[in-house]
Amino acid sequence: MSNHSDLSIIKIGGNVIDDPSKLDAFLENFAALPGKKILVHGGGKIATRLAADLGLEVKMVDGRRITDAEMLKVVTMVYAGLTNKSIVASLQKYSCDAIGLSGADGNAIKAIKRPVREIDYGFAGDILADSVNEHAIKRFLESGFTPVFSAITHNGTGQLLNTNADTIASALAVGLASSYNVSLLYCFEKDGVLRDVNDDSSVIDVIKSSEFELLKANHIVHAGMIPKLQNAFDAIGKGVRDVFIGNADNLHHYQQQKFGTRLSA
């Protein structure tokens, strides 16, 4: 592994995208990070607002959006269009040569339409083990571009799909782990994984996979964090060097390896 160069894959969510000043500060810090990097962004409230303006009903089941054909048009326009290009333009302002991509561009990330079981999620994309086109993404990185991925993928036969951005970030990290020393960073609204959910200063600095089971058993890691951490340790098990979970506002601490909670093997 030692002869591979480092690659940071960073995922931001709606809480950053929906706040212009927070987003701009984050992108300035992101642009300043040395080495190769990829940004993955989810959607914000713009798609929901635009859908309402167009008279479309936003259908949610258990907090998950149902992407029907009309909603797919809206999320593609917003995520792969307005949001993606705005981020790319801001990064150019900070001398980071970004290139905005969906999964369809360069056939970078394929997905399959989520099978209908109890619920039909519509045009939601699920990622498979071979979804990431490592060679295409490497070409962008080795040419000096910083890819910025929206959460839109395709199925290889012309259908666009709305895909969870956390899942895309993890799939990219695993898919590129054989070529780079990959660190995966999830930015969310807390400063890290908290030992006490009511105390924002109780961030756990490092969690090793062996400690994760203990934290679960002692109910220190609570419901919402368990799937996030489980996915992170799955990625580490598949060759990702480490995963960080922290606050987007603190990205400038990442170079000192002091960003949020670090998960490692």
Side-chain angles (χ1 to χ4, degrees):
M1 287 289 283
S2 57
N3 58 352
H4 290 336
S5 59
D6 292 346
L7 171 65
S8 302
I9 298 178
I10 302 177
K11 187 262 169 180
I12 52 166
N15 65 314
V16 181
I17 291 163
D18 290 328
D19 184 331
S21 61
K22 190 180 267 210
L23 178 60
D24 194 61
F26 169 85
L27 293 174
E28 186 173 8
N29 288 329
F30 176 85
L33 290 177
K36 294 178 172 61
K37 54 204 175 212
I38 295 174
L39 184 61
V40 180
H41 63 85
K45 295 190 179 115
I46 300 170
T48 307
R49 282 203 297 270
L50 182 59
D53 291 346
L54 295 171
L56 298 177
E57 182 194 348
V58 177
K59 302 182 189 80
M60 306 283 277
V61 175
D62 297 332
R64 297 173 91 164
R65 191 196 298 272
I66 306 287
T67 309
D68 61 19
E70 292 304 306
M71 199 63 203
L72 181 68
K73 290 178 190 173
V74 172
V75 295
T76 302
M77 284 191 282
V78 174
Y79 300 172
L82 180 64
T83 302
N84 188 263
K85 298 309 165 201
S86 301
I87 287 172
V88 168
S90 290
L91 286 172
Q92 299 296 355
K93 172 177 76 170
Y94 293 121
S95 305
C96 173
D97 200 359
I99 182 164
L101 301 169
S102 71
D105 295 293
N107 189 27
I109 309 169
K110 281 209 297 215
I112 59 159
K113 185 175 178 292
R114 182 169 303 158
V116 178
R117 296 199 174 95
E118 299 86 64
I119 298 163
D120 182 353
Y121 284 101
F123 294 98
D126 286 340
I127 301 258
L128 302 175
D130 59 350
S131 285
V132 171
N133 182 344
E134 178 191 356
H135 300 294
I137 298 165
K138 266 179 82 171
R139 286 212 293 271
F140 288 122
L141 289 166
E142 298 304 325
S143 301
F145 290 115
T146 294
V148 177
F149 277 99
S150 64
I152 301 291
T153 58
H154 75 135
N155 70 350
T157 58
Q159 179 64 57
L160 292 168
L161 296 163
N162 184 15
T163 303
N164 180 283
D166 281 358
T167 310
I168 287 178
S170 178
L172 284 169
V174 171
L176 292 162
S178 58
S179 300
Y180 301 97
N181 296 320
V182 179
S183 294
L184 172 60
L185 286 77
Y186 287 113
C187 294
F188 75 148
E189 53 285 346
K190 298 282 186 192
D191 287 346
V193 180
L194 304 178
R195 193 168 289 284
D196 173 0
V197 79
N198 300 312
D199 177 4
D200 282 346
S201 68
S202 67
V203 174
I204 304 171
D205 292 333
V206 179
I207 303 174
K208 295 201 177 302
S209 50
S210 54
E211 297 163 340
F212 176 47
E213 296 306 321
L214 199 61
L215 290 170
K216 274 197 301 193
N218 293 333
H219 304 293
I220 290 168
V221 174
H222 61 101
M225 280 310 292
I226 289 175
K228 253 192 186 0
L229 294 180
Q230 191 64 64
N231 291 339
F233 283 114
D234 288 348
I236 289 166
K238 292 173 184 162
V240 175
R241 181 172 60 186
D242 43 25
V243 179
F244 294 81
I245 298 178
N247 191 322
D249 299 346
N250 299 330
L251 186 66
H252 53 289
H253 295 312
Y254 169 53
Q255 280 166 264
Q256 291 83 43
Q257 299 276 300
K258 289 194 169 75
F259 175 78
T261 299
R262 184 169 76 90
L263 313 176
S264 69

